[in-house]
Amino acid sequence: MTETSPIHVLIVDDHPMVRKGLASFLLIMDDLELVGEAKDGLDALRRCEHSPPDVILMDLIMPVTDGVEATRQIMQQCPCPILVVTATVTGHCAKVYEALGHGALDAVNTPVLGRDGVVSGGGQVRTGFDPPGGISPQRLGAV
């Protein structure tokens, strides 16, 4: 049995508490490793150009460069799997479809960090990484 390297994840969101919540969620996953955080799409593009992650958790609604435009630019310049993580997938339906059209793999609702420090709703993000349609180490090389 061979041991696989963890999937390197970049979190992109303009809200520090959301980044903290997603980072907390990643800490409990043995096969996922946080390698960076970006506060907007432009910051994410710069980080990807410098050191591409295995996958990006991308918010949609951000200042400077939003998630749709960031997805478009990243997929053109330094392609890697992108999972859209937004406050409400159904509420941002048009932007979700735009991001998917530019190459994002899927969209899920943002997990919530409770006052007790416990993350709820992380199952949707976890499912985005799980086969058959999710981001597995085997699928990372296909993008």
Side-chain angles (χ1 to χ4, degrees), residues 10-22:
L10 172 65
I11 296 172
V12 185
D13 198 293
D14 59 319
H15 294 96
M17 286 302 293
V18 172
R19 291 194 309 265
K20 181 179 179 180
L22 288 170

Side-chain angles (χ1 to χ4, degrees), residues 108-120:
V108 298
N109 291 323
T110 305
V112 178
L113 178 63
R115 291 180 185 201
D116 57 359
V118 175
V119 177
S120 63

